[in-house]
Amino acid sequence: MKNGILLIVQSCLILLSIYPIVGSVNWFIGGLSYKYLRKSKKENLTSIIDIAEPFITIMVSAHNEEIMIADTIKYLSTKLNYKNYEILVLNDASTDSTLEILKSAQKKFDNLRIINIEQNKGKAHAFNIGIAFARGEYILSNDADTLPETNALKKYMHYFLNSTDLNTAAVTANMDVQNRTTLLGKSQTVEFSSIVGIIKRTQTAVNNSMYAYSGANTMYRKKFLVDVGGFRQNRITEDISIAWDHQKFGVIPKFAPEILFHMNVPEKLGELYKQRKRWAQGGIEVWLTYFNEYRCHPIKHKFQMSMFLDSTLAIVWSFFYIFSSIFFLLSIVYFSLLGDFNTVWTAFIMSFIFLFFEMCGGLLQLITALLLDNQGVKMKYLLFAPLYMLLFWIVNPLTIVTRFIPAVRTLTGKKSGVWKSPERKKINLR
């Protein structure tokens, strides 16, 4: 009995140790499967000019966005290759000059509507109000600092209008980092190709599942937003929770890598850490929400089980990584004080062997992602891959561990989804 338990424990520890390597190989295979085995919409985009133009509502939630909002509204009003749409801005209790800027812009652009929300109760709350007032059958969620490519709306419609697309709930686009002048900006260019791009490709290729939409730019079919009760207002990340809610409801998410949108990413470590804390907490909240559902009914949710299992492993591995790292450092100090430097040296050798193979797996994933994303034009950012792997592989598990308790508190009703806009900078209009 004891030997059996010991074997199980050892097997689990080995699995957790090699999880990053296995994960990288999985994303590598999945990315290639999406590229070569899955029928893509991209091959039919030559007829995009002739596509029908159903009415679309571009919904922008704005909380203290005075720096960006005027340029964003101008771009959305004048640069998109689409005629049949409106822009609905939800001024979410801004305390700066956002509302005044919007009222001024409304005099210039006839398709701009404004809803003034007096109390900030979170982005999901604002979106739910917007859904009620949106005139479009399709709703594009667009952040206040996000600029979609000029043909984005036509390309989005290409995923909704065929007879085979009636069950499509949402289509999420491919993020392009605009501010690549800093080391953090360049490393996040690598990250979004690796983490966002190749993982979404893999999840879509395997069974039409998706861990999260891109909150900055995703097109929703309004009917399915209403069918699932809108966005969960007690969740900190509306884009993650709505993706899981859609899939539980039985409708399909899709990833459109050929649709680009441009936005800024954090350029300061403090802002980056705040962003990742929010993402980590949102992921944990959704995982906790659906844990019993997936655990008790795996067959019923067979198409989402791979996504659920990966989320489970990611959370467990994060705790394993943080606590094993602390144990490793304490052991090094302990054996150094005892003068047992042979043990210290052996520990360092073993850790570097694991790190070497993890870096190899990470590079395999990164190179594949950069080659697949936008025909390999981002390969020049591969030089910044070591910074990404060393920095972000530490930040991401750290945020999961530190935000686990706050996520539990949110689910018990002790915290809300109220949000605060990150630090903004102007981006160049294209």
Side-chain angles (χ1 to χ4, degrees):
M1 182 67 176
K2 289 183 179 180
N3 290 337
I5 294 175
L6 182 61
L7 179 62
I8 293 173
V9 172
Q10 289 175 338
S11 300
C12 290
L13 291 175
I14 292 173
L15 175 63
L16 289 171
S17 298
I18 64 174
Y19 167 71
I21 304 171
V22 175
S24 295
V25 174
N26 173 60
W27 305 132
F28 165 74
I29 295 172
L32 294 181
S33 298
Y34 182 92
K35 173 71 174 178
Y36 295 108
L37 301 180
R38 186 178 179 85
K39 185 179 180 181
S40 174
K41 292 276 187 179
K42 188 175 181 180
E43 62 193 38
N44 298 321
L45 286 180
T46 52
S47 60
I48 198 73
I49 301 301
D50 301 323
I51 203 165
E53 293 193 358
F55 194 75
I56 294 173
T57 295
I58 301 177
M59 202 155 63
V60 181
S61 184
H63 176 69
N64 294 341
E65 299 285 2
E66 61 182 3
I67 293 177
M68 279 298 307
I69 196 65
D71 288 342
T72 301
I73 297 302
K74 180 181 179 181
Y75 180 93
L76 294 176
S77 299
T78 61
K79 300 296 184 179
L80 299 181
N81 183 23
Y82 203 91
K83 297 178 181 178
N84 198 23
Y85 70 99
E86 66 172 350
I87 302 169
L88 181 61
V89 181
L90 313 166
N91 178 48
D92 198 3
S94 296
T95 56
D96 61 2
S97 59
T98 296
L99 183 58
E100 288 71 24
I101 294 171
L102 288 171
K103 288 180 178 179
S104 176
Q106 198 171 31
K107 298 175 182 177
K108 303 175 184 176
F109 307 114
D110 295 335
N111 62 345
L112 173 61
R113 297 166 60 210
I114 305 168
I115 296 177
N116 188 38
I117 302 172
E118 294 185 353
Q119 184 178 358
N120 176 15
K121 294 184 179 180
K123 188 176 180 181
H125 172 260
F127 272 2
N128 286 338
I129 293 175
I131 291 171
F133 286 91
R135 295 170 180 165
E137 180 184 352
Y138 303 92
I139 296 175
L140 177 67
S141 164
N142 195 92
D143 275 0
D145 67 336
T146 298
L147 307 178
E149 63 167 295
T150 55
N151 282 324
L153 299 186
K154 283 185 174 290
K155 289 182 178 181
Y156 271 125
M157 284 299 97
H158 199 61
Y159 282 82
F160 286 102
L161 298 183
N162 292 328
S163 58
T164 56
D165 298 325
L166 296 179
N167 210 33
T168 299
V171 179
T172 195
N174 196 4
M175 178 180 173
D176 181 55
V177 175
Q178 180 89 347
N179 51 329
R180 305 176 188 172
T181 56
T182 64
L183 280 175
L184 273 182
K186 289 180 172 67
S187 62
Q188 286 173 89
T189 299
V190 174
E191 182 196 22
F192 281 109
S193 291
S194 172
I195 297 299
V196 178
I198 200 169
I199 290 179
K200 278 185 167 60
R201 283 178 171 89
T202 301
Q203 291 172 342
T204 305
V206 172
N207 49 25
N208 281 326
S209 65
M210 192 176 296
Y211 173 78
Y213 300 138
S214 173
N217 204 259
T218 293
M219 182 76 78
Y220 298 96
R221 193 188 297 269
K222 181 180 177 180
K223 176 185 182 300
F224 290 140
L225 286 176
V226 175
D227 285 344
V228 298
F231 294 91
R232 291 178 184 253
Q233 295 181 192
N234 59 345
R235 299 294 182 267
I236 198 169
T237 50
E238 84 295 336
D239 47 355
I240 300 178
S241 63
I242 193 65
W244 285 61
D245 289 343
H246 270 158
Q247 290 165 89
K248 181 178 183 293
F249 187 70
V251 289
I252 297 173
K254 292 185 178 179
F255 177 53
E258 72 279 1
I259 305 177
L260 295 179
F261 66 93
H262 314 282
M263 66 175 293
N264 277 346
V265 294
E267 293 182 305
K268 298 178 181 178
L269 279 175
E271 287 293 322
L272 177 69
Y273 188 68
K274 288 179 183 177
Q275 180 195 65
R276 299 315 159 94
K277 283 197 304 181
R278 190 175 70 86
W279 290 0
Q281 182 174 331
I284 296 167
E285 288 172 0
V286 170
W287 180 75
L288 290 171
T289 298
Y290 282 109
F291 182 81
N292 283 331
E293 176 77 19
Y294 283 92
R295 180 179 63 85
C296 297
H297 306 285
I299 303 301
K300 179 181 176 182
H301 303 291
K302 57 184 177 295
F303 294 116
Q304 290 80 44
M305 280 306 295
S306 60
M307 178 181 70
F308 172 73
L309 290 174
D310 180 64
S311 298
T312 303
L313 282 172
I315 292 171
V316 174
W317 177 81
S318 295
F319 279 91
F320 170 77
Y321 174 81
I322 295 298
F323 287 111
S324 63
S325 297
I326 294 172
F327 178 77
F328 174 79
L329 293 174
L330 291 176
S331 299
I332 294 298
V333 172
Y334 174 75
F335 286 111
S336 296
L337 291 175
L338 291 179
D340 189 354
F341 295 107
N342 286 333
T343 300
V344 173
W345 178 249
T346 301
F348 272 116
I349 293 296
M350 292 298 295
S351 65
F352 278 117
I353 290 173
F354 272 112
L355 183 62
F356 172 77
F357 282 106
E358 288 184 7
M359 294 286 281
C360 289
L363 279 173
L364 177 67
Q365 176 184 343
L366 284 167
I367 293 172
T368 306
L370 291 172
L371 287 172
L372 290 176
D373 197 41
N374 205 14
Q375 299 181 339
V377 297
K378 296 178 183 177
M379 274 299 294
K380 60 184 178 181
Y381 295 103
L382 183 62
L383 293 174
F384 301 93
L387 176 62
Y388 155 68
M389 288 187 283
L390 291 175
L391 176 62
F392 292 90
W393 284 7
I394 295 173
V395 169
N396 291 341
L398 184 62
T399 55
I400 288 176
V401 171
T402 57
R403 301 313 294 176
F404 194 89
I405 298 301
V408 173
R409 292 183 62 200
T410 298
L411 263 65
T412 57
K414 296 180 179 179
K415 294 194 73 176
S416 69
V418 175
W419 64 297
K420 179 182 177 182
S421 294
E423 182 179 329
R424 302 293 198 199
K425 288 186 178 180
K426 284 183 177 289
I427 57 180
N428 296 324
L429 299 177
R430 297 197 174 194

